[in-house]
Amino acid sequence: MVSTYSQINLILQAMATDKIELRTVNVTRYITPLREGGSLPALAEADDDFKYVLKFRGAGHGVKALIAELLGGEIARTLGLKVPELVFANLDEAFGRSEGDEEIQDLLKGSRGLNLALHFLSGALTFDPVVTQVDETLASKIVWLDAFITNIDRTVKNTNMLIWHKELWLIDHGATFYFHHSWGDWQKAAVTPFPYIKDHVLLPQAALIEEINEEMIALLPDKKLREITDLIPADWLDWEGFDLSSEEIREVYYQFLVMRRNNANNFVNQIQDARETLV
């Protein structure tokens, strides 16, 4: 029998092709809530018999958190970092009717349709920087990623990394791309250095930022960034009371990523400055 670890690695190898495609599963069983923050993700089972950490469109920041999770996760994977498989997860109208908790029932009702889920890594341990030492190359790549996608949520208090089969896996990118919550001057946000990088849990180990910068940029050509933003489902971009059309919103995400990549030296320099304050 093939182990879950081997199955997931086979899936990830298949995804490492020129074309990024996400599978769609139907959620068949709500197992238990994972009460972390205000988003109320849940452990659930789907019709492919795998378990997933399910992120709901009806929670917290709604579809914007799902968009951030999708873009952040697939960019990380494109950069060669380990991320659990992401899938689109469909909830039909009948799902959750038997749920006794009114808060959860409301969440399920508000999340009918397409949601997002991450493959559940059974037995994984939360990354502890005191216990596990990350090498300089890997640490530098993760810090570069988080500065690129403006991830405010990879700190000592909340590392959002797991150790699974002795490997480091990245999870929970829903707090990235925070410019889209105000949707002000996105062009300015795209070229602005990332001040929160000073709190990154791996900043002390990220000694090779300049060395890996060109490699990271090269892995994100325009075509790949377009491919990643094209993954966003159209109905996640239908924002009530918003002036831009779905495709115009998608184009902003794409242009933001292109502009931020082209100005990577802005956040790379800030990473270097932040590291100097640690000495």
Side-chain angles (χ1 to χ4, degrees), residues 1-11 50:
M1 182 177 178
V2 181
S3 69
T4 300
Y5 177 72
S6 298
Q7 287 175 312
I8 292 178
N9 270 314
L10 288 172
I11 291 170
F50 281 121

Side-chain angles (χ1 to χ4, degrees), residues 224-245:
K224 182 59 65 176
L225 294 176
R226 177 71 73 183
E227 193 176 315
I228 292 172
T229 53
D230 281 349
L231 292 170
I232 306 172
D235 72 332
W236 289 6
L237 298 169
D238 184 13
W239 299 351
E240 186 176 351
F242 207 70
D243 292 336
L244 298 181
S245 69

Side-chain angles (χ1 to χ4, degrees), residues 15 20 22 69-78 86 228 231:
M15 293 171 66
I20 301 175
L22 265 64
E69 190 81 59
L70 173 60
L71 296 180
E74 290 309 315
I75 289 169
R77 197 186 318 283
T78 299
L86 289 169
I228 292 172
L231 292 170

Side-chain angles (χ1 to χ4, degrees), residues 41-116:
L43 181 62
E45 190 172 60
D47 56 1
D48 61 355
D49 295 329
F50 281 121
K51 290 183 175 65
Y52 294 93
V53 175
L54 184 58
K55 305 295 184 78
F56 296 100
R57 62 188 299 160
H61 293 296
V63 292
K64 289 184 179 180
L66 301 190
I67 291 170
E69 190 81 59
L70 173 60
L71 296 180
E74 290 309 315
I75 289 169
R77 197 186 318 283
T78 299
L79 294 176
L81 301 168
K82 286 193 172 293
V83 182
E85 182 195 8
L86 289 169
V87 299
F88 295 123
N90 189 57
L91 288 183
D92 66 29
E93 291 188 7
F95 191 83
R97 285 179 180 169
S98 61
E99 173 59 47
D101 187 312
E102 289 187 6
E103 182 183 13
I104 293 174
Q105 192 173 87
D106 290 342
L107 176 65
L108 297 177
K109 287 179 180 178
S111 302
R112 290 168 180 168
L114 212 57
N115 298 269
L116 193 71

Side-chain angles (χ1 to χ4, degrees), residues 255-274:
Q255 293 295 340
F256 175 90
L257 290 170
V258 170
M259 192 176 295
R260 191 149 186 84
R261 178 206 61 201
N262 291 346
N263 292 274
N265 283 338
N266 289 349
F267 62 77
V268 166
N269 290 338
Q270 187 167 43
I271 292 170
Q272 297 286 59
D273 292 343

